[in-house]
Amino acid sequence: MAYSDTQTTALIDLPDDAPIQLFDLKTQQALIRPALEQRWIDILDHGRFIGGPEVTECEEQLAEFTGCADAVAVGSGTQALVMPLLAMGIAEGDAVFIPGFTYNATANAVLLSGGFPVIVDIDPNTFNMDPADLVRKIDAVKADGKLTPRAIMPVDLYGLPADYSAIQAVADAHNLRVIADGAQAFGGKDQGRWVGNIAEITATSFYPTKSLGGYGDGGAILCQDKDFAERMRSIRWHGTGDNRKESVRVGINGRCDSIQCAVVVEKMKLFEAERERRIAAAAIYDERLEGIVARQTALDGQENGYGLYTVRVPNRTEVRAKLSDAGIPSGIYYDMAIHQMPAFSHLAEEGSLPNCEAAAQDSLSLPMHPYLSANQVHKVCDVLIEAVKA
Ligand SMILES: Cc1ncc(COP(=O)(O)O)c(C=O)c1O
């Protein structure tokens, strides 16, 4: 892909006295705005608001960038999870294994498909699905005999890929499919492979605050099998065949519109340079916070895409208040594990997923975006270090 030098070198540090933000979409917007304005004009002129040439352009660039066989742009990250489940024929009585510390969309996607989400505990260091607990949960489902294990849906939380080497080995041993929920992780890597080219199928989200976001809802299915991708293209258009009239299978409106695809194409031109800057900010956090607070840590051979930078602090309420008093925003993703939410309380007993429940109590996400200056990151560290001591 041709990255323009002017765009990649135009990335800037915000002034040290600029407000520190959890995410920053405006600085980036200023860089891509002229190109986007031209894109709007082009789209208004050709008038193909759905299924315009921007959709194919976006899909080709996603596949080229990640190295996956094919990419299908869809209407949201949630649709990118539901559609592969539909294509696999997941239905009542089928178990899909998900981690218990994730955005609610992961559980919703499985329930919407008709499957049953079986919740797996997380590893307290990576915040991602614990492969050892996955094995225990598969064995328990098999022993119980009421559900049929069909698929595993690991989540790449905060930008860090799940432990796919271990999870794929478990999937192979039990003949299960793997659908990666990479909604937060575009830009993550495992053993040199980009998220989107690690698992057989990966869902990603273009929600605006994601590392690769649009200016509205959108997402993509990145997969290793071109025939599977064609099925996704049929499913996203109500399951129709080539003439887009008769449904040849059950489908939904899963389309991503031309405008969102154009935004993603323009943002991709900045993506690698932005990712480098996220990694540079994270390196400062890592160095300053070493030995002071526990942080999300990558396994050997993994690279975090740093959608978020997340630490664990026992006195979270006080720490947040002190950060806020110093003008520093922070975020909690998430203050409830999946089975602690009313809609999902039937999925697991309180107390049965200790690492998920602990993470819901003490995880705290710090400002992370490509335009933070080094001094801004140091300021966050100064305040955080004082606050955790108190
Ligand atoms: C882990 C995870 N899965 C799925 C989704 C759903 O993506 P979307 O909001 O684009 O539907 C999100 C979005 O925040 C997410 O964080």
Side-chain angles (χ1 to χ4, degrees):
M1 191 189 321
Y3 291 101
S4 129
D5 288 344
T6 48
Q7 275 168 316
T8 50
T9 54
L11 298 195
I12 47 154
D13 276 356
L14 287 172
D16 293 339
D17 59 355
I20 297 176
Q21 298 178 77
L22 199 53
F23 309 108
D24 174 9
L25 299 180
K26 280 209 158 164
T27 308
Q28 180 199 53
Q29 190 197 116
L31 297 174
I32 57 174
R33 196 168 171 127
L36 283 179
E37 285 176 355
Q38 185 56 51
R39 291 270 183 181
W40 299 159
I41 292 168
D42 294 347
I43 292 169
L44 289 172
D45 284 349
H46 70 55
R48 293 178 60 198
F49 305 112
I50 299 288
E54 295 77 12
V55 178
T56 311
E57 188 182 357
C58 178
E59 292 180 342
E60 286 174 357
Q61 295 212 359
L62 288 167
E64 190 185 327
F65 181 86
T66 59
C68 70
D70 208 344
V72 182
V74 297
S76 67
T78 308
Q79 289 172 15
L81 292 171
V82 172
M83 292 166 60
L85 292 168
L86 289 181
M88 288 173 189
I90 298 292
E92 203 180 330
D94 289 340
V96 179
F97 298 85
I98 66 166
F101 192 61
T102 176
Y103 188 52
N104 47 22
T106 318
N108 274 327
V110 176
L111 288 164
L112 285 169
S113 76
F116 189 90
V118 176
I119 305 189
V120 178
D121 210 353
I122 55 164
D123 175 303
N125 299 313
T126 63
F127 290 81
N128 283 331
M129 180 183 272
D130 172 8
D133 196 48
L134 171 64
V135 172
R136 283 192 289 272
K137 294 290 158 55
I138 294 171
D139 289 346
V141 166
K142 285 190 165 169
D144 187 45
K146 293 199 191 85
L147 297 169
T148 310
R150 291 287 308 279
I152 307 169
M153 187 174 273
V155 176
D156 306 338
L157 207 71
Y158 310 141
L160 181 68
D163 185 356
Y164 286 103
S165 316
I167 290 170
Q168 191 60 53
V170 175
D172 292 344
H174 293 273
N175 198 21
L176 305 176
R177 306 289 297 269
V178 177
I179 304 165
D181 181 346
Q184 303 182 1
F186 197 85
K189 275 189 178 176
D190 188 20
Q191 318 303 323
R193 295 163 83 104
W194 291 105
V195 164
N197 190 25
I198 304 172
E200 63 165 312
I201 299 157
T202 302
T204 196
S205 165
F206 300 144
Y207 186 81
T209 53
K210 301 292 195 234
S211 54
L212 180 66
Y215 287 151
D217 279 314
I221 299 158
L222 307 156
C223 59
Q224 310 292 11
D225 175 350
K226 279 184 173 290
D227 291 338
F228 188 82
E230 282 312 311
R231 280 197 352 251
M232 295 298 104
R233 290 190 173 94
S234 161
I235 286 177
R236 81 173 166 193
W237 209 296
H238 296 287
T240 48
D242 289 343
N243 66 7
R244 296 214 173 126
K245 284 190 184 138
E246 304 103 58
S247 293
V248 294
R249 52 174 65 81
V250 174
I252 55 174
N253 170 2
R255 298 177 297 249
C256 189
D257 60 59
S258 307
I259 288 179
Q260 294 314 324
C261 286
V263 175
V264 171
V265 168
E266 290 306 322
K267 288 199 182 183
M268 281 192 76
K269 294 176 183 167
L270 297 178
F271 186 77
E272 281 204 272
E274 288 192 338
R275 175 180 182 271
E276 291 305 316
R277 294 182 58 97
R278 289 176 186 272
I279 290 172
I284 299 175
Y285 279 134
D286 281 346
E287 199 189 325
R288 293 283 316 273
L289 301 178
E290 175 66 33
I292 296 172
V293 286
R295 314 179 304 275
Q296 185 186 33
T297 47
L299 301 171
D300 278 352
Q302 291 190 325
E303 289 175 38
N304 197 328
Y306 291 113
L308 290 164
Y309 187 94
T310 302
V311 297
R312 307 191 67 149
V313 283
N315 52 340
R316 182 172 69 184
T317 307
E318 297 79 44
V319 169
R320 272 199 104 192
K322 288 192 174 141
L323 287 167
S324 172
D325 289 348
I328 298 168
S330 59
I332 298 178
Y333 306 96
Y334 302 93
D335 60 5
M336 276 186 192
I338 287 294
H339 64 295
Q340 295 175 315
M341 299 185 194
F344 309 128
S345 57
H346 61 296
L347 299 179
E349 303 263 315
E350 181 72 29
S352 64
L353 295 149
N355 293 333
C356 295
E357 292 167 21
Q361 292 300 312
D362 67 9
S363 56
L364 185 69
S365 298
L366 304 176
M368 172 49 77
H369 62 76
Y371 303 96
L372 286 166
S373 74
N375 284 339
Q376 287 183 317
V377 182
H378 280 294
K379 180 173 174 193
V380 178
C381 294
D382 292 342
V383 177
L384 181 73
I385 290 166
E386 275 306 305
V388 292
K389 273 195 215 145

